[in-house]
Amino acid sequence: MCETCGCGEPDNKPEQTQDPIGRDLLSANDKAAQHNREHLRRIGAFMVHLTSSPGSGKTTLLEKTVEALKGKLSIGVIEGDVATENDAERMRAMGVPSEAIVTDGACHLDAKQVHHALHHLAEKGNLDLIFVENVGNLVCPADFDLGEDYRVVLVSTAEGDDKPEKYPPIFRRADALVISKTDLLPHVDFCIDKVKKHAQTIAPRIRTFEISAKGGDGLDEWIAWLSNIVPAGK
Amino acid sequence: MHELSIAKGIMANLRPWLDEQPESLRVEEIVIKCGPFRAVVASALVAAWEVVRAENPKTAESRLTIDNTSIKIHCNDCGVDFDARRPIFKCRKCDSDNLAMSGGNELFIENIKTNSEE
């Protein structure tokens, strides 16, 4: 049983069938992720997973998102980082319930880490919407389902417009793409249409947003989408 | 280095089966089917397995072989189908960028070779 709430902690083991042939090698993580989804339904919250390379603006987007949804949705944040709690501290400074997962070198979060953080967050109040900010990395997080309802990949204009071509796995399982730092477009060589086209070739149903968190452009559409994915009545 | 997590996944998937095998069994080779969308570096996974395999005497001398699969690509303009080892964004026949991709998500044990088969 879970040490925190007795919910039945995921055991990080695959199903106990003996035949190891053909079963996905991350089935234990997938099982823990499914447990997280069930937990989220029990507490009535939805979870959005943000993933990107370091410095693409995930935390700044979260700060602007929290400001925009203040009084409308109750938001909590799980912040993954290799060596600090800097991002979690930024969210706490805004009064947002936040849990830090410091990986001490590990390049991605997994579902069991998120499970523990979810329990600690739940102790801080009833939440409608939980964001998980993964470790900044465009490779390793791709394979690890955290139990999120939606996965969002950010690509900032300063990174270059070839990211879907260079890192296709991270886009393959994404529900949405945020092209961030659009205020920098006059200063960089970045073709938005190219990024969108390549991302949609990899993930045909991916939804795209173009946002300048600093200037505010594109935030309204993002906020409207987030508001819609949390069921009415929450 | 998420390949270490994947190597641990290999052992987690093997463990219940290994526990049922006779003490004398030795795994000689494990073949992993791996698709391009799983972001696995084959050499890193082999290196990670060389650490993880020591957990069980039945796998301690086993070697890992990676069987890379392909992505199936269909051109929505000229209709040609072809396989690719990594995503590509221009049709090889007509240069169109109107492509659809499928497959390439495999990551599982395809075959196990043991000393009992000799």
Side-chain angles (χ1 to χ4, degrees), chain A residues 102-113:
Chain A
V102 180
T103 66
D104 289 323
C107 48
H108 62 276
L109 299 179
D110 64 36
K112 193 167 183 181
Q113 290 172 313

Side-chain angles (χ1 to χ4, degrees), chain A residues 23-42:
Chain A
R23 193 165 55 239
D24 195 280
L25 297 182
L26 293 179
S27 59
N29 182 76
D30 292 345
K31 187 178 161 190
Q34 186 54 34
H35 177 91
N36 286 349
R37 282 194 186 88
E38 291 163 7
H39 179 77
L40 287 162
R41 296 298 83 80
R42 272 199 301 277

Side-chain angles (χ1 to χ4, degrees), chain A residues 183-229:
Chain A
D183 48 298
L184 296 179
L185 277 169
H187 310 289
V188 293
D189 292 325
F190 187 95
C191 177
I192 285 181
D193 288 344
K194 176 182 168 185
V195 173
K196 289 166 77 169
K197 175 70 183 170
H198 288 166
Q200 286 163 352
T201 301
I202 296 165
R205 286 186 292 276
I206 199 167
R207 179 175 184 130
T208 59
F209 299 91
E210 300 163 25
I211 298 175
S212 164
K214 195 172 180 181
D217 292 345
L219 267 176
D220 288 350
E221 192 184 346
W222 164 251
I223 296 299
W225 179 69
L226 289 171
S227 301
N228 282 335
I229 66 175

Side-chain angles (χ1 to χ4, degrees), chain A residues 95-185:
Chain A
V96 178
S98 303
E99 279 297 313
I101 302 174
V102 180
T103 66
D104 289 323
C107 48
H108 62 276
L109 299 179
D110 64 36
K112 193 167 183 181
Q113 290 172 313
V114 169
H115 171 80
H116 285 280
L118 278 175
H119 278 303
H120 292 305
L121 262 189
E123 291 169 0
K124 296 174 181 173
N126 292 325
L127 299 172
D128 303 315
L129 183 58
I130 296 170
F131 289 98
V132 182
E133 182 179 337
N134 213 318
V135 174
N137 184 330
L138 269 182
V139 181
C140 304
D143 252 356
F144 293 84
D145 184 359
L146 303 181
E148 69 269 22
D149 295 291
Y150 296 92
R151 186 181 301 194
V152 179
V153 181
L154 280 79
V155 174
S156 72
T157 57
E159 292 170 57
D161 55 16
D162 56 359
K163 290 297 168 288
E165 293 171 272
K166 282 185 165 179
Y167 303 93
I170 200 89
F171 295 90
R172 182 69 169 174
R173 292 172 69 173
D175 300 294
L177 163 67
V178 170
I179 297 170
S180 60
K181 304 188 185 182
T182 55
D183 48 298
L184 296 179
L185 277 169

